[in-house]
Amino acid sequence: MKKIIGSILLLLPLIIFGNDISVSTPQELEQAVKKANPGDRIIITNAGIWKDVSLKIRGHGTVQQPIVITTSDDAPLFIEGVSSLSIAGEHLHFKNFYFRNGHATKNSVITFRISDDLANHCTIENFVIDHYNKRNRFDSDNWVILWGQHNRIIHCTFDGKINAGPVLIVELNDERSQKNFHLIEKNHFKNRYRLGSNGGETIRIGVSRYSMHDSNTRLINNFFEHCSGETEIVSIKSGTNYIAGNYFFECEGSLVLRHGDNNVVDGNIFDGNFQKETGGVRMVNSGHVIKNNIFKNLRGKGFRSPLTIMNGVPNSLINRYMPVKDVKIHHNTFVQSGSLVFGGGKDNERTVAPENIAFENNAFVLYSKEWYIDNNGKGITFANNNTSDVFQDVKVNSDSFGSTLVSKDVQTDAYFPTKHIIRNAEELHNVLQHAQAQDTLFLQSDQLIFGLEQPLIIDKPLVITSNQKQTLVSNTYKTLPAFIIIANNGSLHIENIHFLGTHESYGNVRAGINTDIDGVLQRYTLKVKNCTFTDFNESTFAGIKAEKASFADSLHIENCVFYNISGTGIAYNAEREDKGIYNVENVWIKDCIFSNILNSAVDIYRGGNDESTTGPFVEIYHCTFNEVDNKEQGAAVRLIGPQYIRFTNNNVYKSGQGGRSIECREFRYHDILIENSNFFESGKIETFYPQNSGQNSAEKPILMDYKELNKQLPKSFKNNQIIGSHELI
């Protein structure tokens, strides 16, 4: 018996238990891993905070004996400032790093590569990257870049990426990184905010140039929450990937098979929770399988429909739209969502219909009869699909995803906003510096005037208001960039203020409200009600405007007057590179008067033909435009590129006479409607597609005295439609 046992022991592999090695500084960590033997554990003691570190970690473990880099007691190692982590070698396992309060050193936070040395069979586990953004929203970086093969991202939380660049990318630009079999599992991706541009993906696997190569990446069992950077939440640009078991909650966009063949989308749940622009799967290329997925409560259309099969381009370049063919779509469930789109994006370029698409054994719950739109009428075969009014819902709790370093029950001390009574400009600046978010600054000067020597900087959400209309004027001989500047983290609700751009012999003011000229990283909201903007006396000045690298989630203007302005009334037109970048997502202008304005009353610009976003959304109702932009080839209202426009019940009087009352520059898939408005002695309505202009009139309105401006303005008429501004000011 002893001989038998001895023989068995000789056959077993020799197991060598490694050493525990304690380190406490970045330099000690790099050296310890470099010298470590397979099976060693490098333990970061008294983890605390490391700041402004560029870690380059090389090491070599084995499959049975990886080198583990962790912290004592699994406490978080906080990494702050301008920092990064680069990994190279084999079988390294990192745990418990927490990046916050800073941004990447260069183009990435975590890279699985050092110079020409790649990482293989390496893992990051229980990591957090939390709002770790560069200061300018278009200073691009990535939070994780995967190179090499067989690497893993597991149980990590990625929260709050704001600037350009995907959260995580898988690179194939090196033969050693193709057919990589990476695993991305059990992570929580959250709060990827709208970017207002291309480049806002949460995950990109591959790139168009190498898209005909296989990646074999497995993206499984992750939770995506409020990932709305652009229309492609996950952008697949490679072949033979497996996307399974993921949950997408209130994400404004889709999982997009953009380039590459033979990808499998299996058992995912797309839950829009009835939020706008929430989508499912969009596909290009061939050989895909879409099965066992649930698409529920989605409200996206077009490219963001629950399921979109694109039309292709004949002889397509690799970065355009390869025809879709040989796709199997089966055993999916669609619940109370919008219409599916077959032949999406059909236009003069994308003319090739999908081919050999098998759509079988799918269920439609609480759907109308029109559950799909087919733009070609061919290429799709249907079999054994059914409808029902019964659905067994599936609930998934986000708490089981991501890092344990993130508190699941965050409780903050209750704060009740304070109302500050402010009687002069000195008080105003002082209170502004010390006010808390959501506080109200109530202006109450007996003289009804506040003379400012410098702009009011809004770096938190605030309300500024008054009972009687208070006037802001310049009290310095220098030119002010604006009376109010919205800076990072700021949002503003302002009422009952008169912005007077020229006062006595003091310096000019370039704008009533503007954004920080250095850019605003965070998206912001601006609501302006019952305000007056007058006497901004240069062509580049404006009542309200935005600078480059700023993005308003919403701009709400109601019951306001813009008068005697040599520039523009409302100017959100700073992004001029024609790359699909724009300054504002949602614009709502109602019951306003624009009179005696040299340039456009409203100028909103989104140039280029990029299809990664759906905004801006522009709605203008019950406004009066009087003597606005009568220059040669001018435009009283200039809306270049918004993808949704409603211009309704407005009164345009003697405006745009040298060119256009309204100038649009739209694509056929944009949703534009100009109707029930009156255009008297005004320029033409210029739209690329005539059907976007509905029924309008050209009647002469009655003029009425407007005492505040000492002039006559057109009076609202057609009371059943209420054309004009209601004269509410």
Side-chain angles (χ1 to χ4, degrees):
M1 178 62 72
K2 290 182 179 180
K3 290 183 178 180
I4 294 173
I5 294 173
S7 299
I8 293 173
L9 290 173
L10 288 173
L11 294 173
L12 292 175
L14 182 63
I15 299 175
I16 302 174
F17 295 98
N19 299 312
D20 284 356
I21 302 168
S22 296
V23 299
S24 59
T25 68
Q27 296 77 17
E28 289 178 0
L29 173 62
E30 290 180 346
Q31 289 301 312
V33 178
K34 184 177 181 180
K35 297 176 181 179
N37 294 311
D40 284 353
R41 279 202 322 158
I42 314 300
I43 301 173
I44 302 168
T45 58
N46 301 318
I49 298 173
W50 290 359
K51 190 169 184 178
D52 298 329
V53 294
S54 295
L55 297 169
K56 292 180 170 58
I57 308 295
R58 287 181 169 91
H60 301 277
T62 66
V63 63
Q64 294 90 0
Q65 296 173 303
I67 297 171
V68 176
I69 301 96
T70 187
T71 57
S72 56
D73 301 321
D74 286 327
L77 170 64
F78 292 110
I79 299 179
E80 299 182 349
V82 182
S83 299
S84 60
L85 168 64
S86 300
I87 302 166
E90 298 85 32
H91 299 289
L92 304 178
H93 192 140
F94 294 80
K95 300 173 68 175
N96 305 323
F97 286 33
Y98 196 126
F99 290 84
R100 67 179 189 182
N101 299 333
H103 60 81
T105 306
K106 293 182 179 178
N107 66 341
S108 63
V109 181
I110 301 170
T111 306
F112 282 65
R113 179 175 192 155
I114 301 175
S115 188
D116 197 44
D117 297 331
L118 307 186
N120 297 289
H121 300 281
C122 291
T123 299
I124 63 170
E125 179 182 2
N126 208 36
F127 272 43
V128 177
I129 305 182
D130 181 9
H131 290 80
Y132 204 67
N133 296 290
K134 294 187 175 180
R135 294 184 177 90
N136 187 297
R137 60 188 295 105
F138 292 116
D139 190 355
S140 179
D141 66 0
N142 310 107
W143 281 0
V144 180
I145 303 179
L146 280 166
W147 295 88
Q149 296 178 338
H150 299 283
N151 295 310
R152 301 189 303 160
I153 313 292
I154 57 175
H155 287 287
C156 296
T157 295
F158 303 98
D159 184 5
K161 193 171 198 302
I162 301 171
N163 63 315
V167 175
L168 185 155
I169 62 176
V170 175
E171 290 284 21
L172 305 184
N173 304 14
D174 185 313
E175 289 185 6
R176 298 172 296 171
S177 297
Q178 296 164 9
K179 295 184 178 178
N180 52 67
F181 295 95
H182 295 317
L183 175 64
I184 304 166
E185 184 177 21
K186 298 294 285 187
N187 303 289
H188 193 176
F189 298 90
K190 60 190 295 190
N191 300 324
R192 182 40 168 133
Y193 304 112
R194 292 181 192 137
L195 182 62
S197 168
N198 190 11
E201 304 98 328
T202 300
I203 294 178
R204 174 168 58 79
I205 299 176
V207 68
S208 60
R209 180 179 175 183
Y210 296 94
S211 60
M212 301 316 293
H213 294 276
D214 289 341
S215 181
N216 299 97
T217 296
R218 293 163 294 160
L219 177 66
I220 59 176
N221 299 325
N222 301 281
F223 198 95
F224 295 84
E225 181 178 7
H226 301 145
C227 292
S228 304
E230 60 149 271
T231 194
E232 299 183 13
I233 304 165
V234 176
S235 182
I236 304 297
K237 296 184 175 180
S238 53
T240 319
N241 298 289
Y242 186 60
I243 305 101
N246 302 288
Y247 198 101
F248 296 83
F249 181 71
E250 292 186 357
C251 295
E252 297 176 9
S254 302
L255 162 62
V256 180
L257 309 180
R258 184 61 184 87
H259 301 296
D261 298 330
N262 304 317
N263 292 293
V264 177
V265 180
D266 181 10
N268 303 279
I269 299 175
F270 300 86
D271 181 1
N273 197 29
F274 305 104
Q275 300 301 304
K276 74 171 189 175
E277 306 301 330
T278 50
V281 174
R282 177 162 62 95
M283 73 186 76
V284 187
N285 285 68
S286 303
H288 306 308
V289 177
I290 315 296
K291 62 180 181 178
N292 304 320
N293 302 284
I294 296 173
F295 304 85
K296 65 177 183 176
N297 308 329
L298 302 171
R299 288 296 175 265
K301 301 177 181 178
F303 283 15
R304 301 191 189 201
S305 78
L307 179 71
T308 302
I309 304 175
M310 295 295 294
N311 257 30
V313 174
N315 303 310
S316 176
L317 298 173
I318 197 168
N319 66 333
R320 288 303 291 155
Y321 286 85
M322 296 287 189
V324 182
K325 58 183 180 180
D326 303 328
V327 171
K328 297 179 180 179
I329 304 169
H330 62 87
H331 294 97
N332 301 286
T333 302
F334 299 87
V335 183
Q336 208 169 354
S337 297
S339 298
L340 286 58
V341 178
F342 304 141
K346 182 179 181 180
D347 57 19
N348 292 330
E349 180 197 23
R350 291 176 290 220
T351 59
V352 181
E355 177 184 341
N356 192 29
I357 310 299
F359 193 89
E360 302 174 348
N361 297 302
N362 300 289
F364 292 84
V365 182
L366 300 172
Y367 250 80
S368 67
K369 293 181 180 179
E370 302 297 328
W371 53 265
Y372 72 93
I373 299 169
D374 189 347
N375 292 323
N376 301 289
K378 61 180 181 180
I380 318 289
T381 59
F382 301 92
N384 301 321
N385 301 295
N386 63 83
T387 60
S388 172
D389 292 331
V390 179
F391 172 64
Q392 184 65 46
D393 201 1
V394 178
K395 299 292 185 182
V396 176
N397 191 334
S398 64
D399 288 352
S400 60
F401 299 85
S403 171
T404 61
L405 302 179
V406 177
S407 174
K408 304 300 182 182
D409 296 310
V410 178
Q411 295 183 351
T412 58
D413 294 334
Y415 175 76
F416 298 97
T418 300
K419 181 179 179 180
H420 306 270
I421 307 298
I422 299 172
R423 302 185 185 279
N424 57 58
E426 184 179 355
E427 267 187 43
L428 178 56
H429 280 288
N430 185 52
V431 171
L432 186 62
Q433 288 182 337
H434 299 95
Q436 300 296 309
Q438 310 302 334
D439 280 1
T440 294
L441 281 59
F442 190 88
L443 307 191
Q444 191 170 304
S445 167
D446 293 337
Q447 291 76 33
L448 303 180
I449 192 167
F450 284 77
L452 303 182
E453 295 185 356
Q454 57 188 0
L456 305 174
I457 306 300
I458 307 298
D459 58 4
K460 58 185 77 71
L462 290 173
V463 177
I464 298 178
T465 187
S466 66
N467 279 341
Q468 293 179 285
K469 186 168 285 186
Q470 305 283 329
T471 299
L472 300 184
V473 299
S474 173
N475 198 31
T476 177
Y477 293 103
K478 298 179 180 179
T479 297
L480 294 180
F483 286 115
I484 294 177
I485 292 178
I486 297 177
N488 201 30
N489 298 312
S491 285
L492 179 63
H493 178 168
I494 188 164
E495 295 191 25
N496 295 327
I497 303 297
H498 179 193
F499 296 84
L500 181 58
T502 303
H503 176 61
E504 296 181 353
S505 60
Y506 292 109
N508 285 324
V509 183
R510 297 180 184 274
I513 303 172
N514 198 2
T515 59
D516 192 333
I517 196 167
D518 293 326
V520 179
L521 176 63
Q522 299 274 1
R523 60 181 183 167
Y524 68 94
T525 62
L526 174 60
K527 183 174 183 179
V528 185
K529 188 173 181 180
N530 299 333
C531 291
T532 303
F533 298 82
T534 63
D535 298 289
F536 294 92
N537 292 334
E538 294 288 345
S539 62
T540 57
F541 293 2
I544 301 172
K545 66 183 299 188
E547 300 289 350
K548 286 176 62 64
S550 66
F551 185 70
D553 188 69
S554 67
L555 173 67
H556 181 123
I557 315 292
E558 184 176 2
N559 289 356
C560 291
V561 172
F562 297 79
Y563 173 71
N564 197 28
I565 295 175
S566 297
T568 306
I570 299 170
Y572 274 67
N573 58 357
E575 304 289 359
R576 309 292 294 192
E577 290 81 4
D578 291 348
K579 296 180 179 179
I581 304 172
Y582 53 102
N583 286 119
V584 57
E585 185 75 10
N586 300 289
V587 179
W588 195 82
I589 303 171
K590 185 173 183 288
D591 292 322
C592 292
I593 293 174
F594 300 87
S595 183
N596 294 81
I597 298 176
L598 186 61
N599 295 334
S600 300
V602 180
D603 189 343
I604 296 170
Y605 192 90
R606 176 192 183 272
N609 59 1
D610 180 76
E611 297 173 328
S612 300
T613 58
T614 59
F617 297 81
V618 179
E619 300 177 68
I620 303 175
Y621 303 116
H622 303 298
C623 292
T624 294
F625 301 86
N626 175 74
E627 297 178 1
V628 174
D629 199 352
N630 284 319
K631 302 190 307 298
E632 187 72 19
Q633 297 189 16
V637 176
R638 195 182 302 271
L639 304 175
I640 306 300
Q643 299 184 70
Y644 179 93
I645 297 173
R646 290 295 181 270
F647 186 92
T648 304
N649 292 322
N650 299 293
N651 196 358
V652 183
Y653 179 75
K654 293 186 177 181
S655 295
Q657 291 178 324
R660 295 147 291 201
S661 293
I662 302 176
E663 180 185 8
C664 297
R665 198 176 302 164
E666 75 273 33
F667 290 87
R668 71 175 64 206
Y669 55 86
H670 291 175
D671 188 353
I672 313 294
L673 185 57
I674 300 164
E675 66 173 358
N676 296 330
S677 293
N678 187 65
F679 298 85
F680 181 76
E681 293 186 2
S682 296
K684 64 183 178 180
I685 300 172
E686 184 172 283
T687 64
F688 196 78
Y689 297 96
Q691 66 269 25
N692 292 336
S693 181
Q695 186 171 359
N696 297 288
S697 59
E699 300 179 28
K700 183 178 180 179
I702 299 171
L703 298 181
M704 61 173 285
D705 290 330
Y706 191 83
K707 294 181 180 179
E708 185 174 344
L709 301 182
N710 192 27
K711 74 179 281 103
Q712 288 189 325
L713 293 175
K715 183 178 181 180
S716 298
F717 63 105
K718 289 190 177 180
N719 291 329
N720 59 325
Q721 294 178 309
I722 318 179
I723 292 179
S725 58
H726 296 267
E727 291 80 52
L728 292 179
I729 306 301

